[in-house]
Amino acid sequence: MNIKFSKRSDTIEASEIRELLKLIGNNNIISFGGGLPSEETFPVEEMKVICNEILSDYGGKSMQYSTSEGYDKLRKIIIEIMRERGINTDIDNILIISGSQQGLDLTAKAFIDEGDTILCESPTYLSAINAFKPFYPKFEEIFIDNEGLDPEVLEEKLKKSKNVKFLYTIPDFQNPTGVTLNFERRKSIIELANKYNILIVEDSPYSELNFTGQHLPPLKSLDTEERVIYLSTFSKIVCPGFRIGWICASKEIIKKFVLFRQGSDLHTNIFSQMQITKFFEKYDVKAHIEKNIAIYKNRRDAMLNAIKADFPKEVKYTEPKGGFFLWVTLPTYMDSKELLKCALKNGIAFISGEAFFPNGGHKNTLRLNYTNISEEKIREGIKILSDVIKENMLKNN
Amino acid sequence: MNIKFSKRSDTIEASEIRELLKLIGNNNIISFGGGLPSEETFPVEEMKVICNEILSDYGGKSMQYSTSEGYDKLRKIIIEIMRERGINTDIDNILIISGSQQGLDLTAKAFIDEGDTILCESPTYLSAINAFKPFYPKFEEIFIDNEGLDPEVLEEKLKKSKNVKFLYTIPDFQNPTGVTLNFERRKSIIELANKYNILIVEDSPYSELNFTGQHLPPLKSLDTEERVIYLSTFSKIVCPGFRIGWICASKEIIKKFVLFRQGSDLHTNIFSQMQITKFFEKYDVKAHIEKNIAIYKNRRDAMLNAIKADFPKEVKYTEPKGGFFLWVTLPTYMDSKELLKCALKNGIAFISGEAFFPNGGHKNTLRLNYTNISEEKIREGIKILSDVIKENMLKNN
């Protein structure tokens, strides 16, 4: 038959990243694409003990339907995590979701009417764009520097934009740039949200993976008017395969989200909620995270040192203090998609930058990931990539 | 702050069932509400072996990000399940989802434009209504008798309705009525779909829980034009807590669904996909299901026999040949919500029927579940419910 999809279906396109990941498969490519944590950081042996205990302690309850709000024991653990991040909150402010990606879908459903304006960093998280687009918003992008988004530019956008629903931001070790929003700007952004009466969606998947030990307060901790919808996840501190994240927001918003998620997927896998809960109950999660930070910091160092040694001076890059990614800006006459084709021929993958801009453009940018690859391979890969860049510069200039 | 939700947010309401389930909690109420499988049917001991093997065999891969399409080994198992149900299909026609509920959300996103007509049984599955409503369709209800929906009524609706996107139907042991669509009608419905160029969403969570041994062919098996989007789940044959279901549809539709789900929740929990896979690889699932059928059939018998013995003759009810539910129609002057209040006071819960009709009405109906309660308690509960009904009949007549 001739299928007639919804008009909404025209808003979404195949993710270059996922398509690329499929292509890469099990080949010998050195991949700086994707955004996978390293499997060596996952508590595999601990999970053997944990699964056995769950099934012995809870039996069929660990396999039964459960509540849309989430497993109460895990919600209480999240309250503790939030307290350590400087946010005092209550169980009714916490909704467990199937990965923090689901928080973006719920936010879109509950807030975006056609034509509403969404403010976001430029570039921003690719799958946030894909979560919001089917609900027909306009995106206003705020270019970021090494200290995150500039509140002055934000205020200009707020003055001239109509029907602004929310600012979507990743303040810590942003995806894709690795940049962190400074403290003064955090305060200013909250003041602007209050002044212009908008919500803030604070996406915080990477905040615990901090290489400096100096933690900046989340926007949510500075929020006195319940304007911040805070999203986080166990994907980067335990593992992503269980798909367990959470939302912390006002009770009124959580109630609305619960209604939408009953139509979306009823509730989050209860067995995996128990797996995460037991891991926190039985093991020293702080020590676990410290160990992971050490691995990722070494890889970040390896990548930065290789870039400093090898990249031509015309190429600019960010220096992330945590998280998963580093952002590269090539000379404007270069096209990172063309570069990617040459790089793949030489056994190197990365993500070209254009897809991270909701309104397109910026063809001369690309994202590099350093978490799922050994230091040796990072050095080897950056050397090859540098050569490919130099070759392309000559060709194009 | 004064929160401004999307207009879409007005379309959804708190589910009476979930609110009721919360109220019931751990009290001594005999609940015919909800739709939970019995925990004694879950393979708890087998899961101990399975979890250990997954972690030994696959290590960190069982906890890592995975593909949006689903775990290939499980997709291949599903191809076998589909073949046994009379449907020949291919791996690219299968998408693993986070419970078949997610299939309804994806269907809504990919197909419903504002004002489109959705045809459905009257009554129909409550959470399908909640999945579709946020996308502003019109619902045209087709009343069903003991043989399912009448194709003649369907054709009348098709003739007079504009922009019909799909027929949503649960042909086997329908939720909430327990009714099964007969073979002749199945053929006629496929013919009508071809004639009027519409899609069919065939929701099939209960088909394996068949108390008669006589299986009718799924609509999907009669479909020669790739019009049927078939949804099913492991929730009723293994357990619901893992949230693993699937969609079988044309490759073009699956591709579109994959794009939408990347924005929705990226992918389904890989650990639990492996749990289900190992269960099928290592154990005799057919024998497992047969054992469960025996338990549920005895409970259905207990409920039907008690109803026949106790209910006043003015009360009508369906006689399901499988699945989870039985549907009761009270005299039209009665209101099942009022009845529910009296029943709860007497320690009995059920779901009043109005919520299962997308356009409301039918206050004199209610749904009874028999799967998660012992035969003894079923007999005890139906006796009490009968007395409450009789009392209310006297009061209202």
Side-chain angles (χ1 to χ4, degrees):
Chain A
M1 74 175 290
N2 189 7
I3 302 167
K4 202 176 154 223
F5 289 108
S6 62
K7 288 192 286 287
R8 189 179 305 106
S9 293
D10 298 332
T11 63
I12 51 164
E13 285 162 35
S15 151
E16 185 196 4
I17 297 179
R18 294 219 150 235
E19 297 307 311
L20 186 69
L21 284 175
K22 270 189 257 173
L23 276 180
I24 295 167
N26 294 318
N27 296 347
N28 283 325
I29 273 187
I30 297 178
S31 176
F32 301 129
L36 276 60
S38 177
E39 282 169 26
E40 69 189 275
T41 69
F42 301 161
V44 173
E45 287 308 312
E46 292 89 333
M47 273 305 145
K48 287 185 186 169
V49 180
I50 285 168
C51 290
N52 212 54
E53 279 196 20
I54 289 169
L55 291 159
S56 294
D57 292 358
Y58 304 111
K61 289 230 176 310
S62 67
M63 301 165 73
Q64 183 58 287
Y65 280 116
S66 184
T67 60
S68 297
E69 289 82 356
Y71 184 44
D72 276 354
K73 277 195 184 182
L74 184 56
R75 293 165 92 197
K76 284 174 191 160
I77 286 167
I78 290 167
I79 289 174
E80 264 315 292
I81 295 173
M82 295 299 285
R83 205 184 49 72
E84 286 174 13
R85 294 185 188 175
I87 299 157
N88 287 313
T89 192
D90 192 47
I91 194 161
D92 294 327
N93 297 101
I94 306 292
L95 170 64
I96 311 233
I97 46 180
S98 305
S100 61
Q101 181 69 38
Q102 191 178 38
L104 301 172
D105 181 53
L106 293 172
T107 298
K109 281 178 174 161
F111 289 105
I112 304 177
D113 284 316
E114 186 171 346
D116 282 350
T117 299
I118 306 303
L119 303 167
C120 65
E121 285 138 0
S122 178
T124 188
Y125 172 51
L126 176 59
S127 290
I129 302 173
N130 285 333
F132 299 153
K133 263 196 174 172
F135 299 90
Y136 309 110
K138 283 179 204 148
F139 289 93
E140 282 289 341
E141 303 178 33
I142 304 165
F143 294 105
I144 54 178
D145 58 27
N146 284 327
E147 304 288 317
L149 71 92
D150 185 340
E152 284 184 25
V153 181
L154 172 61
E155 184 155 23
E156 276 167 38
K157 299 274 184 190
L158 283 167
K159 274 182 186 160
K160 74 174 193 196
S161 303
K162 276 184 193 160
N163 301 322
V164 177
K165 265 302 165 59
F166 56 78
L167 166 69
Y168 171 71
T169 176
I170 307 164
D172 300 292
F173 323 123
Q174 199 237 15
N175 180 0
T177 61
V179 155
T180 295
L181 186 66
N182 77 25
F183 181 55
E184 285 306 317
R185 289 184 177 185
R186 287 177 194 234
K187 285 192 296 185
S188 302
I189 287 169
I190 290 290
E191 280 163 23
L192 287 172
N194 292 343
K195 182 174 168 187
Y196 289 90
N197 191 29
I198 62 160
L199 291 163
I200 296 174
V201 179
E202 178 175 25
D203 197 355
S204 187
Y206 309 107
S207 55
E208 305 255 4
L209 297 179
N210 185 317
F211 306 152
T212 68
Q214 292 172 316
H215 290 265
L216 289 171
L219 291 167
K220 181 78 183 158
S221 72
L222 307 171
D223 170 28
T224 54
E225 300 188 2
E226 296 202 303
R227 292 185 178 280
V228 177
I229 299 168
Y230 180 92
L231 310 178
S232 194
T233 177
F234 294 101
S235 290
K236 277 79 187 183
I237 52 181
V238 185
C239 69
F242 296 172
R243 313 300 308 123
I244 314 279
W246 71 90
I247 305 176
C248 176
S250 78
K251 291 178 176 129
E252 188 184 356
I253 291 175
I254 294 292
K255 267 190 196 165
K256 193 62 82 177
F257 282 167
V258 166
L259 293 182
F260 274 111
R261 88 155 308 174
Q262 284 168 6
S264 298
D265 70 347
L266 297 182
H267 69 84
T268 297
N269 185 315
I270 181 66
F271 191 84
S272 285
Q273 291 188 69
M274 288 180 171
Q275 285 175 304
I276 301 281
T277 303
K278 278 262 184 208
F279 184 57
F280 274 79
E281 283 173 354
K282 285 182 69 77
Y283 297 94
D284 184 347
V285 179
K286 283 211 180 69
H288 171 81
I289 295 171
E290 283 305 321
K291 216 174 57 187
N292 299 348
I293 287 173
I295 294 169
Y296 293 144
K297 183 176 181 297
N298 286 339
R299 292 178 182 182
R300 188 273 320 253
D301 290 343
M303 185 171 275
L304 269 183
N305 290 336
I307 285 176
K308 278 175 191 168
D310 300 332
F311 273 18
K313 66 174 190 332
E314 295 88 342
V315 175
K316 307 297 174 198
Y317 52 89
T318 58
E319 301 193 25
K321 297 189 172 78
F324 273 36
F325 305 109
L326 185 149
W327 184 249
V328 175
T329 307
L330 305 165
T332 48
Y333 59 81
M334 288 182 75
D335 181 337
S336 66
K337 275 193 185 163
E338 290 304 312
L339 187 75
L340 180 57
K341 284 178 199 163
C342 305
L344 282 169
K345 278 180 206 152
N346 288 278
I348 305 294
F350 58 79
I351 309 293
S352 69
E354 194 174 356
F356 298 96
F357 297 89
N359 302 316
H362 309 268
K363 290 180 192 295
N364 60 321
T365 58
L366 61 96
R367 190 189 77 177
L368 299 179
N369 167 263
Y370 48 76
T371 52
N372 195 26
I373 184 164
S374 71
E375 291 163 53
E376 194 194 332
K377 284 279 174 194
I378 287 173
R379 281 187 286 269
E380 187 187 332
I382 291 294
K383 181 83 193 72
I384 300 169
L385 180 58
S386 296
D387 292 341
V388 174
I389 291 175
K390 284 171 191 162
E391 204 178 302
N392 264 259
M393 282 177 77
L394 283 176
K395 224 189 314 181
N396 283 286
N397 211 358
Chain B
M1 74 176 289
N2 189 9
I3 303 167
K4 203 177 155 221
F5 289 108
S6 61
K7 289 192 286 287
R8 189 179 306 106
S9 294
D10 298 333
T11 62
I12 51 163
E13 284 162 37
S15 149
E16 185 196 4
I17 296 179
R18 293 220 151 233
E19 297 306 311
L20 186 69
L21 284 176
K22 271 190 257 173
L23 276 179
I24 294 166
N26 293 317
N27 295 345
N28 283 323
I29 272 185
I30 297 177
S31 176
F32 301 129
L36 277 61
S38 178
E39 282 168 27
E40 69 189 275
T41 68
F42 300 162
V44 174
E45 288 308 312
E46 292 88 334
M47 275 303 144
K48 286 185 187 171
V49 180
I50 285 168
C51 291
N52 211 56
E53 280 196 19
I54 290 169
L55 291 158
S56 294
D57 292 357
Y58 305 111
K61 288 231 177 309
S62 67
M63 302 165 74
Q64 183 58 288
Y65 279 116
S66 184
T67 60
S68 296
E69 289 82 356
Y71 183 45
D72 276 354
K73 277 195 183 180
L74 184 55
R75 293 165 92 197
K76 284 174 190 161
I77 287 167
I78 290 167
I79 289 174
E80 263 316 291
I81 295 172
M82 296 299 285
R83 205 184 49 72
E84 286 174 12
R85 294 184 189 175
I87 299 158
N88 287 315
T89 192
D90 192 47
I91 195 161
D92 294 327
N93 297 101
I94 305 291
L95 171 65
I96 309 229
I97 46 179
S98 306
S100 60
Q101 181 69 39
Q102 190 178 39
L104 301 172
D105 182 52
L106 293 173
T107 298
K109 281 179 175 160
F111 289 105
I112 304 177
D113 285 315
E114 187 169 348
D116 281 351
T117 299
I118 307 303
L119 302 168
C120 66
E121 285 139 0
S122 177
T124 188
Y125 171 50
L126 177 58
S127 290
I129 302 173
N130 286 333
F132 299 153
K133 264 196 174 172
F135 300 90
Y136 309 111
K138 284 180 203 148
F139 289 94
E140 282 289 340
E141 303 177 34
I142 304 164
F143 294 104
I144 52 179
D145 59 27
N146 284 326
E147 304 287 317
L149 71 89
D150 185 341
E152 284 186 25
V153 180
L154 172 61
E155 182 153 26
E156 277 168 38
K157 298 275 182 189
L158 282 167
K159 274 182 188 160
K160 74 173 193 194
S161 302
K162 277 185 193 157
N163 301 322
V164 176
K165 266 301 164 63
F166 56 80
L167 165 70
Y168 171 71
T169 175
I170 308 165
D172 300 292
F173 324 123
Q174 199 236 16
N175 180 1
T177 62
V179 156
T180 295
L181 187 65
N182 76 26
F183 181 56
E184 286 305 317
R185 289 184 177 185
R186 289 178 193 232
K187 286 192 294 185
S188 302
I189 287 169
I190 289 290
E191 281 163 22
L192 287 172
N194 292 343
K195 182 174 168 188
Y196 290 90
N197 191 28
I198 62 160
L199 292 162
I200 296 174
V201 180
E202 178 175 27
D203 197 356
S204 186
Y206 309 108
S207 55
E208 305 255 4
L209 298 178
N210 185 316
F211 307 152
T212 68
Q214 294 172 316
H215 291 264
L216 289 171
L219 291 167
K220 180 80 184 157
S221 73
L222 307 172
D223 170 28
T224 55
E225 301 188 3
E226 295 203 303
R227 293 186 178 279
V228 177
I229 298 168
Y230 180 92
L231 309 178
S232 194
T233 176
F234 294 102
S235 290
K236 276 79 185 181
I237 52 180
V238 185
C239 68
F242 296 171
R243 315 299 308 122
I244 313 277
W246 71 90
I247 304 177
C248 176
S250 78
K251 289 176 179 140
E252 185 184 357
I253 292 176
I254 293 293
K255 268 191 195 164
K256 192 61 85 176
F257 282 168
V258 167
L259 293 183
F260 274 111
R261 87 157 308 177
Q262 284 167 6
S264 298
D265 70 346
L266 297 182
H267 69 84
T268 297
N269 185 315
I270 180 66
F271 191 84
S272 284
Q273 290 188 70
M274 288 179 171
Q275 286 176 304
I276 301 281
T277 303
K278 277 260 182 210
F279 184 58
F280 274 79
E281 283 173 354
K282 284 182 69 76
Y283 297 94
D284 184 347
V285 178
K286 284 212 180 70
H288 171 82
I289 296 172
E290 283 304 321
K291 217 175 56 186
N292 299 349
I293 288 173
I295 294 169
Y296 294 144
K297 181 175 182 298
N298 286 339
R299 292 178 182 181
R300 188 272 321 252
D301 290 343
M303 183 171 276
L304 270 184
N305 290 336
I307 285 175
K308 279 175 189 164
D310 300 333
F311 272 17
K313 67 176 192 326
E314 294 88 343
V315 176
K316 308 297 173 198
Y317 51 89
T318 58
E319 301 193 24
K321 296 188 173 80
F324 273 37
F325 305 110
L326 183 150
W327 185 250
V328 175
T329 306
L330 305 166
T332 48
Y333 59 82
M334 288 183 75
D335 181 337
S336 67
K337 276 193 186 164
E338 290 303 312
L339 187 76
L340 180 57
K341 285 179 197 162
C342 306
L344 282 168
K345 279 181 203 149
N346 288 278
I348 305 294
F350 58 79
I351 309 293
S352 69
E354 193 175 356
F356 298 96
F357 297 89
N359 302 316
H362 309 268
K363 289 180 193 296
N364 60 319
T365 58
L366 60 97
R367 190 190 76 178
L368 299 178
N369 166 263
Y370 48 77
T371 53
N372 195 26
I373 185 164
S374 72
E375 292 164 52
E376 194 194 333
K377 285 281 176 193
I378 288 173
R379 283 186 285 268
E380 188 188 330
I382 291 294
K383 182 83 192 69
I384 300 170
L385 180 58
S386 297
D387 291 342
V388 174
I389 291 174
K390 284 171 191 164
E391 206 178 301
N392 265 258
M393 283 177 76
L394 282 175
K395 227 191 308 183
N396 283 287
N397 211 357

